[in-house]
Each structure stands twice: as C-alpha cells, then as structure tokens.
Amino acid sequence: MGTNLFTNCSSFSWRYNHNLVSHTSPQNGIPSVKTVSCYRGNELVDGDTEIQSGAVYRRSVLLSGASLVCSTSLGFPGDGLAVVKQGLLAGRIPGLSEPDEQGWRTYRRPDDKSGGHGVGWSPIIPYAFSVPQDWDEVPVSIADLGGTEIDLRFASPKEGRLFVIVAPVLRFADNLGDNATIEKIGPPEKVINAFGPEVIGENVEGKVLSMDVVEHSGKTYYQYELEPPHVLITATAAGNRFYMFNVTGSGLQWKRHYKDLKKIADSFRVV
C-alpha cells in the first residue's frame, strides 16, 4: 500500500530562525539542555519508530511557491520522562474523565490551562480525545522541540504515545483571520507535505498509506496514516489555531495495538 501520493512540497516554503538546544542524559535521567551551534534532525531508536527530540528552535514561516524537503521532528522525547500523577485516581488529572464501561477515558483540554503563543493571542479553543485507562499525561517541557506549539503529550508503556500540536495559523498566511478552517489552510496534500516532515523527521513522499477527509459537527478534519515510521495524524483548524493530533508507537506496539491506536486517532475533536 506504499502508494506515492506526492512528489514534493511545492505549496509551502519555510524559513527558519534557529535557536538550537540539544538534550543530554545525565545520571539522574532528567534531560538537561545546552546551546549548540548546529542542528541535526531526530533519529529513530532501536530500529523502530520511537521519535527522539534532538533540538529546539524558533521559526518564522513564509508561504510561497518554493518547495521544501528539509524539516525536523516534533516527536516524543525519551522514555525517561515521568508520567504526571495527580492524586490516587487517574480521573483527578485535570481534564481527564473517569473510565467508562469499556475502560476508556476522555481528555478535554481545561479552559484555564496555561499556554499560548504570546501577547495578543486569543485563548486556545479546547480539544478532546479518548484513550484507554493505562494512558497518562506526560510533562511538556519548554525545551521541547517545537516550543509552545506542543500543547500536550500522553503515553502508555504498553501501547504507544501521542502529542498535540497547536500552532498559530499565521504560520501559513496572514489573511486567515480568527475563524480559520483547515480548508482555508489548504487541501490534504499541502497540509501533510508541510507538517508531515515535522512529525516524522523526514520527507513524507511515498510514506502516506491513506488520506481521508471527514466531518464532525460541521468541522472538517484531515486524517492520515504514515508508514514507516508508524504514525496516525488528525489535523484541523479553529479560531486562529491549527491543530495536529499525532499517535505513534513502536513496530511491536503498532502490530499488537493498532486497533486502539486508530480509535484514539479517530476520537480527536476540537470542541
């Protein structure tokens, strides 16, 4: 099914201003940060699909007709990150419900959660998704690759990992206003060609197994499956933000838990 859907990224051109930071692994297992003068994209670990964050940067983006094949990964940091536990009950994690009859919980971004993109930006419109009971929130560091654009991480030692990108629509154009839609940003091909490399750390050409357009409550979502590495992506826009929901796992996790990972990816909604 490795159909080659696209040949280049001709609809988007990106200009980067880099403030590069690399992660080290001290003995206590907590990542530290140091400034470096060069950049290297993320690497895949153990021959599998675990995405390791290797750098953090600031970037400004220009929309043009030029093409791009160079990008960086906004994937997951190492497994050393501690899982956030608040209280004895998992449902006490802010925004996370108690398990339903099937053992699934629903996360809704709290209205008062901190985070944003600087002075003058409106509050982030909440989003929601569902995960099995053993998934928990993982801390997001200011040193995360992508900076403030990574809004949330969740992970399960058994099944896989997910992260949510919330980016200003000004990354695409300055005329999208405060009521942007994914259709205004571009068709599915443009979106995955522009953002896919940031998720997997390489060009998406020949890696898109499927691409769908679905609608829920009047809002359009683009859904993609990429392989390799294994990742399910759901993208949409609301207000003046672009949302990208990314679910991934190792090869073994993908094989054993694909059904659950697909259900998680399909559950994403901006509310």
Side-chain angles (χ1 to χ4, degrees):
M1 299 235 1
T3 304
N4 186 341
L5 297 181
F6 323 115
T7 58
N8 59 48
C9 304
S10 60
S11 300
F12 285 84
S13 176
W14 306 76
R15 183 180 66 190
Y16 293 93
N17 293 324
H18 291 134
N19 281 346
L20 300 179
V21 177
S22 67
H23 294 249
T24 61
S25 298
Q27 293 179 352
N28 60 10
I30 301 175
S32 63
V33 180
K34 66 178 181 179
T35 303
V36 296
S37 59
C38 62
Y39 171 76
R40 180 177 179 179
N42 291 355
E43 59 182 359
L44 298 178
V45 177
D46 295 332
D48 230 323
T49 60
E50 183 173 358
I51 305 171
Q52 298 288 336
S53 296
V56 63
Y57 56 86
R58 287 185 297 110
R59 57 185 181 271
S60 60
V61 183
L62 296 179
L63 184 67
S64 77
S67 63
L68 168 80
V69 295
C70 178
S71 188
T72 60
S73 172
L74 291 181
F76 294 92
D79 289 338
L81 287 179
V83 171
V84 174
K85 297 281 189 181
Q86 299 186 17
L88 296 177
L89 295 178
R92 290 181 183 174
I93 296 177
L96 193 60
S97 73
E98 293 288 347
D100 62 16
E101 293 179 355
Q102 286 74 43
W104 283 65
R105 301 180 296 176
T106 297
Y107 175 88
R108 183 188 187 278
R109 189 185 196 275
D111 294 332
D112 58 353
K113 180 181 175 179
S114 62
H117 300 102
V119 177
W121 285 95
S122 62
I124 293 175
I125 297 174
Y127 53 81
F129 57 88
S130 297
V131 290
Q133 190 168 351
D134 67 337
W135 286 66
D136 286 292
E137 188 173 352
V138 174
V140 175
S141 167
I142 106 181
D144 257 328
L145 186 62
T148 59
E149 292 184 359
I150 295 185
D151 190 64
L152 181 76
R153 295 183 187 276
F154 261 68
S156 161
K158 181 177 71 173
E159 293 193 324
R161 301 162 303 281
L162 69 81
F163 66 102
V164 185
I165 297 172
V166 182
V169 295
L170 286 177
R171 285 192 57 171
F172 304 95
D174 58 6
N175 60 351
L176 294 177
D178 292 329
N179 191 26
T181 64
I182 194 71
E183 296 96 331
K184 290 180 181 178
I185 291 176
E189 294 89 347
K190 288 184 178 179
V191 171
I192 195 61
N193 281 340
F195 262 99
E198 297 198 20
V199 175
I200 69 172
E202 57 185 291
N203 198 306
V204 300
E205 182 177 344
K207 297 181 180 295
V208 181
L209 298 183
S210 66
M211 179 174 56
D212 298 304
V213 178
V214 298
E215 184 176 308
H216 300 288
S217 301
K219 182 172 292 297
T220 300
Y221 297 79
Y222 296 163
Q223 295 181 330
Y224 311 91
E225 181 173 343
L226 278 63
E227 185 181 72
H230 306 283
V231 61
L232 295 162
I233 299 173
T234 302
T236 192
N240 52 17
R241 302 308 207 292
F242 168 79
Y243 296 76
M244 181 171 272
F245 184 67
N246 310 276
V247 182
T248 188
S250 68
L252 185 59
Q253 289 171 330
W254 198 261
K255 181 178 180 180
R256 291 180 175 177
H257 304 290
Y258 176 83
K259 184 177 179 180
D260 279 355
L261 296 174
K262 184 69 167 64
K263 183 176 177 179
I264 293 170
D266 291 345
S267 73
F268 182 76
R269 304 283 188 275
V270 173
V271 296

